[in-house]
Amino acid sequence: MQVIKYVFQPHGDERGQLVALEEGKDIPFKIKRVYYMYDTAKGVTRGYHAHKSLEQILICIHGSCKIRLDNGYEKKVVPLEKPYEGLYVANNMWREMFDFSSDAVLMVLASELYDENDYIRNYDEFLQFVKENR
Ligand code: TYD
């Protein structure tokens, strides 16, 4: 399984760091939605779903967390611990987010508006979907 982790270029100077993300330049899709998770309770795992067509980039802009990616054949755990790193998560990919530090803010850039019909929340259904859409 190929893991695509972007390393964004910070504009750093003596005042600090600034990261700018532009659609089509740094982000390979139209950004239709941004959401973020914070105050995640200790020990919590979130996600447990895949998307039929949605693409995302996950950026832990503060603190750290881990992402488990599963394409139905292989699983990989990717740590996110830098505000200038972005993990690309394609469609047809089961994801679980866990090991959040208490100060973690996980921001997600998404290619589509929120649509419950695009979710696959049942793991067996996901495996079936992957087989059918190879
Ligand atoms: P949920 O899908 O449970 O989050 P996770 O996949 O991280 O476990 O979403 C939590 C709630 O937020 C749920 O009621 C749906 C709502 N929600 C929106 O309204 N818009 C969004 O863009 C997202 C991602 C969630």
Side-chain angles (χ1 to χ4, degrees):
M1 185 202 302
Q2 197 196 2
V3 170
I4 301 173
K5 209 179 197 186
Y6 290 91
V7 179
F8 306 120
Q9 186 60 59
H11 301 275
D13 59 24
E14 61 284 352
R15 296 169 299 172
Q17 304 295 330
L18 183 155
V19 173
L21 302 175
E22 292 190 13
E23 181 180 291
K25 223 163 154 191
D26 310 281
I27 306 300
F29 51 75
K30 264 188 175 296
I31 303 164
K32 284 207 184 160
R33 179 166 52 112
V34 176
Y35 64 93
Y36 46 92
M37 283 152 259
Y38 61 97
D39 275 356
T40 307
K42 209 172 156 53
V44 158
T45 300
R46 303 192 65 134
Y48 295 110
H49 66 256
H51 287 279
K52 293 173 196 164
S53 61
L54 181 80
E55 299 170 87
Q56 299 181 318
I57 288 188
L58 277 56
I59 306 170
C60 196
I61 53 175
H62 195 255
S64 62
C65 66
K66 293 193 176 86
I67 315 298
R68 184 177 298 109
L69 295 178
D70 176 352
N71 65 5
Y73 300 94
E74 225 187 307
K75 294 178 196 194
K76 273 201 179 147
V77 172
V78 183
L80 285 181
E81 15 194 61
K82 302 286 182 200
Y84 53 78
E85 287 179 345
L87 175 65
Y88 174 74
V89 182
N91 60 332
N92 291 357
M93 186 75 82
W94 189 264
R95 85 286 314 270
E96 294 167 13
M97 296 86 93
F98 64 104
D99 223 4
F100 287 84
S101 62
S102 57
D103 58 351
V105 181
L106 178 61
M107 183 175 78
V108 181
L109 310 181
S111 66
E112 301 296 337
L113 301 179
Y114 180 70
D115 176 9
E116 191 55 41
N117 293 320
D118 190 60
Y119 279 74
I120 306 170
R121 294 192 183 272
N122 177 285
Y123 189 70
D124 291 335
E125 220 175 276
F126 162 67
L127 293 179
Q128 191 61 34
F129 188 83
V130 166
K131 265 192 213 157
E132 287 166 7
N133 292 277
R134 263 192 115 168

